[in-house]
Each structure stands twice: as structure tokens, then as C-alpha cells.
Amino acid sequence: MQRRRLLTTAMVTTALALAGCAGQDADEPAATPASSAAGFPVTVGAVTLEARPEKIVSLSPTATEMLFAIGAGPQVTAVDDQSSYPADAPKSDLSGFKPNAEAIAAKDPDLVVVSNDTENIVAQLGKLSIPAFVAPAATTLEDTYAQLGDLGALTGHRAEAEKTGADMATRIDEIVKSVPARSRPLSYFYELGPDLYSATSKTFIGSIFAKFGMTNVADAADASGSFGGYPQLTQEAVVKANPDMIFLADSKCCQQSAATVTARSGWSTVTAVEKGQIYALDDDIASRWGPRTPDLVQAVADAVGKVPA
């Protein structure tokens, strides 16, 4: 499921362009801080809001995490069925993969956030006078910071969004600097699923590993970019590439582990297998370009730090 989620997000994006109010009465409108009320009307991209949205529907797990991180959580009234974090996000049966305009409209939102325009949902919602903001999959960290800023402007949380992005950047820089430089770059294979789909250096994931000066063995499988940075490799190609490290982004969705990789026929000669340098990642964190990205960076840093220089 996780791989399908990530691949769907990435491919659709490529195809298109390649604590709340504890103690407060539920019926009582939330107080609007002066700083949040300022700045409206606001226009971001094709979306113009005359006033701060108070009923936001998020159909993107990453956007959901961003909205809560910047303090807009109390304004979020429904999220899609894949938004698993934070735990108190108002999860619903709405789908971000196959969005249904009528089901969304039934939530009576004054802003909808999606990661792509699947099913022409933006136009469908437009006919219902419901503004929809598209927050596509990021390809760089800068894209993430920009998206935080956009959501901050749209929700009345500009300052919080700027701080969230700045804190992320600071923490990521500190983590990367904590890893000693190596005389020889480490190579790696990043696994999205047991069917060996991967992500190249031209993706958001690839940009994270590039910070550690690592070489991606999947790059050759999509040199032209025709697969949008998400090629499927063969067993023979991975074994021949002989990566130093293997990172599994399919440990939760597909129960892959160091043991299952080691048991694969023909993989015993791969350096990562021989030396036990196979690392399982949190599928959700690894597939989202949001505020928990520093946790992914830390996981990569911890793994790299275990490999003898």
C-alpha cells in the first residue's frame, strides 16, 4: 500500500507536470489570533481566500502533517484515509487517490488541500465554489519549505510555517554535519517494494541521500527521466550494481526486512547483504516530504555512521 501511495503520488505528479482547543466547547467558534486574521484576503497560486479557512479538508498525508505542524490543526475538520499522522488528525473515509467531489462537499469545507489533481477534482470542487489547493510531491527540500509557506499563508499561520521550515533546515544541517566525510562514496539501493521499484537521485528521496555524498545505483535505470525518477530494477541489475547499503521503505507495507532480503536468491554476493548493511525505514516518514523529514535524515545518518570508513 505504501509503495502504491508513493508511486501514485509521484506518477500523477509527473503526469501533470512530471493540541487543539482542549476544554473548549465544540459548538463555540475558536478564537482567532490577531496575527492569524491578518493577511486576508490572500492569494496563493490559483487559490484566493477572502478569510481564514476554519473547515479544512486535507486529502494528502503530507499536507495533513504540515497543517498540524504549523498550528493549523484545529482548523482541519477531515483528512483522508491515508493520513496516519498525527494521531489526533480527524481521519475519515475520504480518498486522496480517487477523490469524490460530493463526499468532500458533504464535509462543508472552506478549503481543500490535495497533492494532485486526480479526477479533475479541482475543477469539480470549483463548480461547487469550494477552493482547492494543490500541494504536489516535492523534489527538493526547498520545495518542502515553499509548500509550508504556501499553507501558512492560506491558513493564517505564516510565522509558524516559516519557523517550522527554518527548524527543519537547521536540524537537517546539523545531522548531515555530524556524519564524518568518507574517502569513498557509499553506494545504495533504495527499495520502494519487493518488486524492486526504486527512486533515483532526481527525486526528493534522492536529494536526501545526496546530502551524504552517496551514489544511487538506480540512476542508470532511469537516465533519461522517462520513468519520472521511479524505475523498476531487475534482480540481476541490483546484484550487478552491488550496492554498499540497502534501505527498505517497504518494511511496514510489505514486511520486508534484512532477513527477507538476505534470503533472496542470488543476493548473497551483494556487499550490503554480505556485511549486514540493510536498514529498514519507516514507510510513512520515508514517503512524505513534510515536517518529519529530519527523522528520515537522522535514520540515514545513523545507518551511514555504522559503516566503517
Side-chain angles (χ1 to χ4, degrees), residues 78-118:
V79 301
D80 70 299
D81 55 2
Q82 298 299 309
S83 287
S84 56
Y85 188 90
D88 59 346
K91 197 170 183 176
S92 75
D93 58 358
L94 294 175
S95 172
F97 293 121
K98 292 184 177 180
N100 181 293
E102 292 183 357
I104 297 169
K107 303 294 184 182
D108 192 27
D110 46 18
L111 175 64
V112 176
V113 182
V114 297
S115 61
N116 53 66
D117 195 11
T118 303

mmCIF file of all heavy atoms in Angstrom, residues 78-118:
data_model
loop_
_atom_site.group_PDB
_atom_site.id
_atom_site.type_symbol
_atom_site.label_atom_id
_atom_site.label_comp_id
_atom_site.label_asym_id
_atom_site.label_seq_id
_atom_site.Cartn_x
_atom_site.Cartn_y
_atom_site.Cartn_z
ATOM 1 N N ALA A 78 -11.375 17.327 8.528
ATOM 2 C CA ALA A 78 -11.377 15.962 7.985
ATOM 3 C C ALA A 78 -10.107 15.747 7.176
ATOM 4 O O ALA A 78 -9.618 16.666 6.511
ATOM 5 C CB ALA A 78 -12.597 15.729 7.097
ATOM 6 N N VAL A 79 -9.569 14.526 7.270
ATOM 7 C CA VAL A 79 -8.400 14.157 6.465
ATOM 8 C C VAL A 79 -8.700 12.831 5.764
ATOM 9 O O VAL A 79 -9.643 12.120 6.119
ATOM 10 C CB VAL A 79 -7.121 14.032 7.325
ATOM 11 C CG1 VAL A 79 -6.835 15.350 8.038
ATOM 12 C CG2 VAL A 79 -7.253 12.895 8.338
ATOM 13 N N ASP A 80 -7.878 12.502 4.799
ATOM 14 C CA ASP A 80 -8.132 11.299 4.005
ATOM 15 C C ASP A 80 -7.771 10.030 4.772
ATOM 16 O O ASP A 80 -7.171 10.082 5.850
ATOM 17 C CB ASP A 80 -7.352 11.368 2.690
ATOM 18 C CG ASP A 80 -5.864 11.212 2.930
ATOM 19 O OD1 ASP A 80 -5.281 12.044 3.638
ATOM 20 O OD2 ASP A 80 -5.276 10.228 2.433
ATOM 21 N N ASP A 81 -8.102 8.909 4.165
ATOM 22 C CA ASP A 81 -7.921 7.618 4.839
ATOM 23 C C ASP A 81 -6.464 7.174 4.950
ATOM 24 O O ASP A 81 -6.177 6.169 5.603
ATOM 25 C CB ASP A 81 -8.742 6.524 4.139
ATOM 26 C CG ASP A 81 -8.425 6.414 2.655
ATOM 27 O OD1 ASP A 81 -7.533 7.153 2.167
ATOM 28 O OD2 ASP A 81 -9.066 5.594 1.979
ATOM 29 N N GLN A 82 -5.538 7.908 4.308
ATOM 30 C CA GLN A 82 -4.123 7.573 4.405
ATOM 31 C C GLN A 82 -3.355 8.500 5.353
ATOM 32 O O GLN A 82 -2.170 8.291 5.604
ATOM 33 C CB GLN A 82 -3.465 7.625 3.011
ATOM 34 C CG GLN A 82 -4.050 6.633 2.020
ATOM 35 C CD GLN A 82 -3.885 5.196 2.480
ATOM 36 O OE1 GLN A 82 -2.789 4.759 2.831
ATOM 37 N NE2 GLN A 82 -4.983 4.441 2.498
ATOM 38 N N SER A 83 -3.999 9.526 5.852
ATOM 39 C CA SER A 83 -3.350 10.469 6.773
ATOM 40 C C SER A 83 -3.270 9.832 8.157
ATOM 41 O O SER A 83 -4.202 9.925 8.959
ATOM 42 C CB SER A 83 -4.119 11.797 6.817
ATOM 43 O OG SER A 83 -3.929 12.529 5.637
ATOM 44 N N SER A 84 -2.148 9.231 8.447
ATOM 45 C CA SER A 84 -1.978 8.460 9.682
ATOM 46 C C SER A 84 -1.271 9.230 10.796
ATOM 47 O O SER A 84 -1.096 8.711 11.901
ATOM 48 C CB SER A 84 -1.182 7.189 9.376
ATOM 49 O OG SER A 84 0.069 7.520 8.773
ATOM 50 N N TYR A 85 -0.872 10.468 10.503
ATOM 51 C CA TYR A 85 -0.113 11.243 11.487
ATOM 52 C C TYR A 85 -0.458 12.717 11.337
ATOM 53 O O TYR A 85 -0.560 13.192 10.205
ATOM 54 C CB TYR A 85 1.387 11.031 11.265
ATOM 55 C CG TYR A 85 2.264 11.640 12.334
ATOM 56 C CD1 TYR A 85 2.632 10.915 13.448
ATOM 57 C CD2 TYR A 85 2.713 12.954 12.203
ATOM 58 C CE1 TYR A 85 3.447 11.475 14.427
ATOM 59 C CE2 TYR A 85 3.513 13.525 13.180
ATOM 60 C CZ TYR A 85 3.883 12.781 14.280
ATOM 61 O OH TYR A 85 4.681 13.336 15.252
ATOM 62 N N PRO A 86 -0.652 13.439 12.451
ATOM 63 C CA PRO A 86 -0.594 12.975 13.836
ATOM 64 C C PRO A 86 -1.804 12.126 14.204
ATOM 65 O O PRO A 86 -2.796 12.098 13.466
ATOM 66 C CB PRO A 86 -0.548 14.276 14.634
ATOM 67 C CG PRO A 86 -1.278 15.262 13.783
ATOM 68 C CD PRO A 86 -0.916 14.907 12.365
ATOM 69 N N ALA A 87 -1.700 11.485 15.362
ATOM 70 C CA ALA A 87 -2.729 10.526 15.756
ATOM 71 C C ALA A 87 -4.091 11.175 15.940
ATOM 72 O O ALA A 87 -5.119 10.525 15.755
ATOM 73 C CB ALA A 87 -2.299 9.815 17.046
ATOM 74 N N ASP A 88 -4.116 12.461 16.307
ATOM 75 C CA ASP A 88 -5.411 13.114 16.549
ATOM 76 C C ASP A 88 -5.971 13.792 15.306
ATOM 77 O O ASP A 88 -6.975 14.511 15.386
ATOM 78 C CB ASP A 88 -5.297 14.117 17.691
ATOM 79 C CG ASP A 88 -4.265 15.207 17.431
ATOM 80 O OD1 ASP A 88 -3.450 15.040 16.502
ATOM 81 O OD2 ASP A 88 -4.268 16.217 18.150
ATOM 82 N N ALA A 89 -5.383 13.557 14.152
ATOM 83 C CA ALA A 89 -5.952 14.096 12.909
ATOM 84 C C ALA A 89 -7.315 13.432 12.684
ATOM 85 O O ALA A 89 -7.458 12.224 12.888
ATOM 86 C CB ALA A 89 -5.022 13.807 11.736
ATOM 87 N N PRO A 90 -8.308 14.222 12.253
ATOM 88 C CA PRO A 90 -9.673 13.674 12.080
ATOM 89 C C PRO A 90 -9.779 12.810 10.828
ATOM 90 O O PRO A 90 -10.303 13.229 9.795
ATOM 91 C CB PRO A 90 -10.528 14.934 11.999
ATOM 92 C CG PRO A 90 -9.610 15.976 11.439
ATOM 93 C CD PRO A 90 -8.260 15.678 12.003
ATOM 94 N N LYS A 91 -9.298 11.595 10.943
ATOM 95 C CA LYS A 91 -9.268 10.675 9.806
ATOM 96 C C LYS A 91 -10.683 10.318 9.362
ATOM 97 O O LYS A 91 -11.580 10.127 10.202
ATOM 98 C CB LYS A 91 -8.501 9.409 10.200
ATOM 99 C CG LYS A 91 -8.036 8.554 9.038
ATOM 100 C CD LYS A 91 -7.091 7.475 9.546
ATOM 101 C CE LYS A 91 -6.530 6.637 8.403
ATOM 102 N NZ LYS A 91 -5.535 5.641 8.899
ATOM 103 N N SER A 92 -10.885 10.236 8.045
ATOM 104 C CA SER A 92 -12.204 9.910 7.508
ATOM 105 C C SER A 92 -12.042 8.845 6.415
ATOM 106 O O SER A 92 -10.946 8.349 6.178
ATOM 107 C CB SER A 92 -12.847 11.169 6.919
ATOM 108 O OG SER A 92 -12.245 11.497 5.679
ATOM 109 N N ASP A 93 -13.148 8.534 5.743
ATOM 110 C CA ASP A 93 -13.073 7.563 4.651
ATOM 111 C C ASP A 93 -12.858 8.236 3.305
ATOM 112 O O ASP A 93 -12.941 7.593 2.262
ATOM 113 C CB ASP A 93 -14.333 6.702 4.620
ATOM 114 C CG ASP A 93 -15.599 7.542 4.450
ATOM 115 O OD1 ASP A 93 -15.489 8.787 4.401
ATOM 116 O OD2 ASP A 93 -16.686 6.955 4.354
ATOM 117 N N LEU A 94 -12.555 9.526 3.296
ATOM 118 C CA LEU A 94 -12.272 10.222 2.041
ATOM 119 C C LEU A 94 -10.989 9.684 1.427
ATOM 120 O O LEU A 94 -10.031 9.384 2.142
ATOM 121 C CB LEU A 94 -12.140 11.728 2.288
ATOM 122 C CG LEU A 94 -13.399 12.474 2.738
ATOM 123 C CD1 LEU A 94 -13.046 13.926 3.060
ATOM 124 C CD2 LEU A 94 -14.465 12.406 1.656
ATOM 125 N N SER A 95 -10.967 9.578 0.105
ATOM 126 C CA SER A 95 -9.795 9.070 -0.592
ATOM 127 C C SER A 95 -9.068 10.179 -1.335
ATOM 128 O O SER A 95 -9.695 11.000 -2.005
ATOM 129 C CB SER A 95 -10.205 7.986 -1.601
ATOM 130 O OG SER A 95 -9.108 7.623 -2.412
ATOM 131 N N GLY A 96 -7.758 10.191 -1.199
ATOM 132 C CA GLY A 96 -6.961 11.126 -1.978
ATOM 133 C C GLY A 96 -6.598 10.555 -3.326
ATOM 134 O O GLY A 96 -6.230 11.289 -4.243
ATOM 135 N N PHE A 97 -6.700 9.239 -3.472
ATOM 136 C CA PHE A 97 -6.372 8.594 -4.752
ATOM 137 C C PHE A 97 -7.524 8.722 -5.743
ATOM 138 O O PHE A 97 -7.320 8.943 -6.925
ATOM 139 C CB PHE A 97 -6.058 7.112 -4.524
ATOM 140 C CG PHE A 97 -4.802 6.873 -3.737
ATOM 141 C CD1 PHE A 97 -4.842 6.180 -2.544
ATOM 142 C CD2 PHE A 97 -3.583 7.349 -4.191
ATOM 143 C CE1 PHE A 97 -3.691 5.957 -1.810
ATOM 144 C CE2 PHE A 97 -2.428 7.139 -3.464
ATOM 145 C CZ PHE A 97 -2.478 6.446 -2.275
ATOM 146 N N LYS A 98 -8.737 8.545 -5.218
ATOM 147 C CA LYS A 98 -9.910 8.690 -6.057
ATOM 148 C C LYS A 98 -10.877 9.643 -5.357
ATOM 149 O O LYS A 98 -11.911 9.220 -4.823
ATOM 150 C CB LYS A 98 -10.565 7.319 -6.298
ATOM 151 C CG LYS A 98 -9.713 6.381 -7.152
ATOM 152 C CD LYS A 98 -10.456 5.080 -7.450
ATOM 153 C CE LYS A 98 -9.619 4.187 -8.355
ATOM 154 N NZ LYS A 98 -10.310 2.912 -8.676
ATOM 155 N N PRO A 99 -10.550 10.914 -5.351
ATOM 156 C CA PRO A 99 -11.378 11.883 -4.622
ATOM 157 C C PRO A 99 -12.776 11.996 -5.212
ATOM 158 O O PRO A 99 -12.961 11.993 -6.430
ATOM 159 C CB PRO A 99 -10.596 13.187 -4.762
ATOM 160 C CG PRO A 99 -9.764 13.012 -5.994
ATOM 161 C CD PRO A 99 -9.405 11.551 -6.028
ATOM 162 N N ASN A 100 -13.753 12.093 -4.339
ATOM 163 C CA ASN A 100 -15.147 12.209 -4.746
ATOM 164 C C ASN A 100 -15.663 13.576 -4.316
ATOM 165 O O ASN A 100 -15.728 13.884 -3.120
ATOM 166 C CB ASN A 100 -15.963 11.083 -4.080
ATOM 167 C CG ASN A 100 -17.419 11.120 -4.473
ATOM 168 O OD1 ASN A 100 -18.155 12.042 -4.129
ATOM 169 N ND2 ASN A 100 -17.846 10.116 -5.213
ATOM 170 N N ALA A 101 -16.021 14.395 -5.291
ATOM 171 C CA ALA A 101 -16.400 15.777 -5.003
ATOM 172 C C ALA A 101 -17.614 15.847 -4.078
ATOM 173 O O ALA A 101 -17.663 16.689 -3.164
ATOM 174 C CB ALA A 101 -16.680 16.524 -6.302
ATOM 175 N N GLU A 102 -18.583 14.990 -4.288
ATOM 176 C CA GLU A 102 -19.791 15.035 -3.452
ATOM 177 C C GLU A 102 -19.470 14.664 -2.007
ATOM 178 O O GLU A 102 -19.990 15.277 -1.062
ATOM 179 C CB GLU A 102 -20.857 14.095 -4.018
ATOM 180 C CG GLU A 102 -21.425 14.552 -5.362
ATOM 181 C CD GLU A 102 -22.536 13.635 -5.841
ATOM 182 O OE1 GLU A 102 -22.810 12.633 -5.151
ATOM 183 O OE2 GLU A 102 -23.119 13.926 -6.897
ATOM 184 N N ALA A 103 -18.610 13.643 -1.855
ATOM 185 C CA ALA A 103 -18.241 13.224 -0.492
ATOM 186 C C ALA A 103 -17.456 14.324 0.220
ATOM 187 O O ALA A 103 -17.639 14.562 1.412
ATOM 188 C CB ALA A 103 -17.418 11.939 -0.553
ATOM 189 N N ILE A 104 -16.599 14.991 -0.542
ATOM 190 C CA ILE A 104 -15.828 16.094 0.049
ATOM 191 C C ILE A 104 -16.761 17.246 0.415
ATOM 192 O O ILE A 104 -16.681 17.813 1.508
ATOM 193 C CB ILE A 104 -14.748 16.576 -0.937
ATOM 194 C CG1 ILE A 104 -13.738 15.455 -1.211
ATOM 195 C CG2 ILE A 104 -14.047 17.816 -0.391
ATOM 196 C CD1 ILE A 104 -12.794 15.751 -2.354
ATOM 197 N N ALA A 105 -17.666 17.586 -0.499
ATOM 198 C CA ALA A 105 -18.589 18.703 -0.255
ATOM 199 C C ALA A 105 -19.459 18.452 0.971
ATOM 200 O O ALA A 105 -19.863 19.399 1.661
ATOM 201 C CB ALA A 105 -19.463 18.927 -1.481
ATOM 202 N N ALA A 106 -19.723 17.176 1.247
ATOM 203 C CA ALA A 106 -20.555 16.847 2.412
ATOM 204 C C ALA A 106 -19.881 17.256 3.716
ATOM 205 O O ALA A 106 -20.557 17.415 4.744
ATOM 206 C CB ALA A 106 -20.850 15.348 2.425
ATOM 207 N N LYS A 107 -18.565 17.463 3.666
ATOM 208 C CA LYS A 107 -17.837 17.928 4.862
ATOM 209 C C LYS A 107 -17.935 19.439 5.020
ATOM 210 O O LYS A 107 -17.423 20.003 5.994
ATOM 211 C CB LYS A 107 -16.362 17.510 4.767
ATOM 212 C CG LYS A 107 -16.133 16.009 4.600
ATOM 213 C CD LYS A 107 -16.569 15.234 5.826
ATOM 214 C CE LYS A 107 -16.246 13.742 5.663
ATOM 215 N NZ LYS A 107 -16.719 12.946 6.832
ATOM 216 N N ASP A 108 -18.512 20.113 4.015
ATOM 217 C CA ASP A 108 -18.714 21.562 4.035
ATOM 218 C C ASP A 108 -17.406 22.337 4.267
ATOM 219 O O ASP A 108 -17.346 23.231 5.126
ATOM 220 C CB ASP A 108 -19.733 21.936 5.120
ATOM 221 C CG ASP A 108 -20.199 23.386 4.980
ATOM 222 O OD1 ASP A 108 -20.173 23.911 3.858
ATOM 223 O OD2 ASP A 108 -20.539 23.997 6.016
ATOM 224 N N PRO A 109 -16.347 22.009 3.511
ATOM 225 C CA PRO A 109 -15.060 22.689 3.744
ATOM 226 C C PRO A 109 -15.015 24.078 3.128
ATOM 227 O O PRO A 109 -15.732 24.381 2.170
ATOM 228 C CB PRO A 109 -14.075 21.753 3.040
ATOM 229 C CG PRO A 109 -14.857 21.199 1.901
ATOM 230 C CD PRO A 109 -16.264 21.013 2.430
ATOM 231 N N ASP A 110 -14.164 24.924 3.695
ATOM 232 C CA ASP A 110 -13.891 26.210 3.052
ATOM 233 C C ASP A 110 -12.492 26.207 2.427
ATOM 234 O O ASP A 110 -12.048 27.218 1.882
ATOM 235 C CB ASP A 110 -14.072 27.384 4.015
ATOM 236 C CG ASP A 110 -13.413 27.162 5.360
ATOM 237 O OD1 ASP A 110 -12.534 26.275 5.455
ATOM 238 O OD2 ASP A 110 -13.768 27.865 6.319
ATOM 239 N N LEU A 111 -11.781 25.079 2.524
ATOM 240 C CA LEU A 111 -10.525 24.874 1.802
ATOM 241 C C LEU A 111 -10.241 23.373 1.757
ATOM 242 O O LEU A 111 -10.389 22.682 2.758
ATOM 243 C CB LEU A 111 -9.346 25.583 2.492
ATOM 244 C CG LEU A 111 -7.958 25.333 1.872
ATOM 245 C CD1 LEU A 111 -7.890 25.897 0.452
ATOM 246 C CD2 LEU A 111 -6.858 25.937 2.738
ATOM 247 N N VAL A 112 -9.848 22.903 0.567
ATOM 248 C CA VAL A 112 -9.444 21.506 0.392
ATOM 249 C C VAL A 112 -8.009 21.509 -0.095
ATOM 250 O O VAL A 112 -7.637 22.296 -0.969
ATOM 251 C CB VAL A 112 -10.352 20.783 -0.630
ATOM 252 C CG1 VAL A 112 -9.857 19.355 -0.885
ATOM 253 C CG2 VAL A 112 -11.794 20.758 -0.126
ATOM 254 N N VAL A 113 -7.177 20.639 0.490
ATOM 255 C CA VAL A 113 -5.781 20.520 0.071
ATOM 256 C C VAL A 113 -5.573 19.126 -0.509
ATOM 257 O O VAL A 113 -5.918 18.120 0.136
ATOM 258 C CB VAL A 113 -4.810 20.742 1.243
ATOM 259 C CG1 VAL A 113 -3.363 20.661 0.751
ATOM 260 C CG2 VAL A 113 -5.067 22.100 1.897
ATOM 261 N N VAL A 114 -5.057 19.073 -1.727
ATOM 262 C CA VAL A 114 -4.796 17.800 -2.403
ATOM 263 C C VAL A 114 -3.350 17.789 -2.872
ATOM 264 O O VAL A 114 -2.707 18.845 -2.995
ATOM 265 C CB VAL A 114 -5.735 17.592 -3.612
ATOM 266 C CG1 VAL A 114 -7.179 17.504 -3.160
ATOM 267 C CG2 VAL A 114 -5.563 18.725 -4.629
ATOM 268 N N SER A 115 -2.808 16.604 -3.149
ATOM 269 C CA SER A 115 -1.433 16.523 -3.636
ATOM 270 C C SER A 115 -1.368 16.475 -5.158
ATOM 271 O O SER A 115 -0.299 16.670 -5.741
ATOM 272 C CB SER A 115 -0.712 15.308 -3.043
ATOM 273 O OG SER A 115 -1.359 14.111 -3.422
ATOM 274 N N ASN A 116 -2.481 16.203 -5.805
ATOM 275 C CA ASN A 116 -2.528 16.259 -7.268
ATOM 276 C C ASN A 116 -3.979 16.399 -7.709
ATOM 277 O O ASN A 116 -4.899 16.231 -6.901
ATOM 278 C CB ASN A 116 -1.859 15.026 -7.895
ATOM 279 C CG ASN A 116 -2.437 13.741 -7.344
ATOM 280 O OD1 ASN A 116 -3.604 13.450 -7.569
ATOM 281 N ND2 ASN A 116 -1.615 12.988 -6.609
ATOM 282 N N ASP A 117 -4.139 16.708 -8.983
ATOM 283 C CA ASP A 117 -5.483 16.992 -9.496
ATOM 284 C C ASP A 117 -6.120 15.738 -10.091
ATOM 285 O O ASP A 117 -6.685 15.776 -11.183
ATOM 286 C CB ASP A 117 -5.405 18.109 -10.537
ATOM 287 C CG ASP A 117 -6.777 18.709 -10.833
ATOM 288 O OD1 ASP A 117 -7.730 18.398 -10.094
ATOM 289 O OD2 ASP A 117 -6.898 19.452 -11.820
ATOM 290 N N THR A 118 -6.045 14.657 -9.357
ATOM 291 C CA THR A 118 -6.656 13.408 -9.800
ATOM 292 C C THR A 118 -8.160 13.581 -10.003
ATOM 293 O O THR A 118 -8.833 14.240 -9.217
ATOM 294 C CB THR A 118 -6.406 12.321 -8.733
ATOM 295 O OG1 THR A 118 -5.006 12.205 -8.520
ATOM 296 C CG2 THR A 118 -6.957 10.980 -9.202
#
